[in-house]
């Protein structure tokens, strides 16, 4: 069975359609002001309208979100999952899940096996765990930078729910990444862009085709 794929940082109807047509399992929309992919909840709500009822999960991607942002997202975009990519604790992840009434994806920045080990405190609290590459020092972004880590760090790791591999994936290396890591879900952002924040429908299709063949 092939891995499921998440296309993250979508911002136009054309790229949402490419992700849907290509068979993406998850569509991610970013709410973080420093990101070139940042959206308002209202814009995201318009983009996800054609997605509803299609069996694809929508994900609101945030960094240390406050309650006001969670409430705004649930009132407008109504995502299926909320992704958190900051310094959230297990108790905060639980609070967000209860407040929003949806599952939480907790992302971790990884450069060593110890970084993977820290996820155990969140296993069973978060709906899914995500392992992303640790950004280079001084980066304003916690993810979506194109950095990658040793995929073998995830080989043989098992969690209570399917987890994601992210960081530096693209149409040319994703099959190898799936083979080496054994990860059930993969996440891509900058690897399907022709410029910062500019998703390319052709690259999205190529990535999803590569995942299917892996």
């Amino acid at each position: 069975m092939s891995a499921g794929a998440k296309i993250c940082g979508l911002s136009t109807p054309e790229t949402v359609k490419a992700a849907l047509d290509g068979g993406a399992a998850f569509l991610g929309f970013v709410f973080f002001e420093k990101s070139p992919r940042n959206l308002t909840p209202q814009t995201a709500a318009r983009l996800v309208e054609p997605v509803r009822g299609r069996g694809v999960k929508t994900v609101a991607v945030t960094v240390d979100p406050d309650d006001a942002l969670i409430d705004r997202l649930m009132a407008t975009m109504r995502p299926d999952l909320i992704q958190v990519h900051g310094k959230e604790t297990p108790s905060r992840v639980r609070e967000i899940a209860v407040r929003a009434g949806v599952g939480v994806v907790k992302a971790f920045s990884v450069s060593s096996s110890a970084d993977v080990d820290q996820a155990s405190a969140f296993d069973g609290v978060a709906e899914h765990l995500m392992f992303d590459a640790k950004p280079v020092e001084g980066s304003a972004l916690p993810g979506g930078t194109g950095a990658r880590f040793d995929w073998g760090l995830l080989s043989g790791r098992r969690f209570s729910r399917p987890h994601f591999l992210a960081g530096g994936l693209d149409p040319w290396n994703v099959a190898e990444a799936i083979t080496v890591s054994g990860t059930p879900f993969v996440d891509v952002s900058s690897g399907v862009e022709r410029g910062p924040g500019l998703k390319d429908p052709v690259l999205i299709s190529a990535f999803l085709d590569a995942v299917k063949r892996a």
Side-chain angles (χ1 to χ4, degrees):
M1 183 176 168
S2 63
K6 172 170 169 269
I7 308 296
C8 196
L10 294 162
S11 61
T12 66
E14 295 75 23
T15 52
V16 168
K17 183 177 187 303
L20 271 178
D21 290 349
F26 304 85
L27 306 184
F29 302 86
V30 174
F31 305 92
F32 183 55
E33 286 181 5
K34 294 178 181 177
S35 172
R37 308 164 187 100
N38 184 47
L39 298 175
T40 65
Q42 290 77 13
T43 299
R46 288 193 294 274
L47 289 170
V48 301
E49 208 46 55
V51 179
R52 301 198 194 281
R54 299 280 295 271
V56 177
K57 291 193 172 179
T58 57
V59 186
V61 180
T62 66
V63 180
D64 292 308
D66 58 18
D67 288 349
L69 176 57
I70 298 296
D71 292 347
R72 249 193 340 273
L73 289 170
M74 298 316 300
T76 51
M77 178 192 167
R78 308 198 318 274
D80 298 304
L81 294 162
I82 291 177
Q83 182 174 318
V84 294
H85 217 305
K87 294 180 168 60
E88 302 86 7
T89 61
S91 61
R92 179 57 180 157
V93 167
R94 192 177 287 110
E95 279 174 17
I96 291 170
V98 170
R99 186 175 191 93
V102 298
V104 174
V105 179
K106 171 57 183 161
F108 301 89
S109 296
V110 175
S111 64
S112 69
S113 58
D115 296 323
V116 180
D117 293 341
Q118 68 175 327
S120 61
F122 294 81
D123 194 17
V125 178
E127 181 86 1
H128 300 288
L129 307 175
M130 177 180 288
F131 299 95
D132 199 351
K134 192 162 279 189
V136 294
E137 202 165 332
S139 172
L141 302 177
T145 62
R148 59 182 270 190
F149 67 95
D150 176 5
W151 301 320
L153 293 174
L154 291 178
S155 180
R157 297 276 190 157
R158 294 290 176 268
F159 303 97
S160 59
R161 300 274 300 152
H163 58 284
F164 286 86
L165 168 64
L169 301 181
D170 60 37
W172 301 276
N173 68 18
V174 67
E176 181 192 356
I178 292 167
T179 300
V180 171
S181 68
T183 313
F185 293 142
V186 290
D187 175 281
V188 68
S189 187
S190 61
V192 290
E193 290 180 346
R194 59 178 179 267
L198 300 173
K199 291 285 179 295
D200 186 326
V202 173
L203 290 175
I204 289 173
S205 299
F207 183 86
L208 292 169
D209 284 346
V211 171
K212 283 178 201 156
R213 291 197 304 270

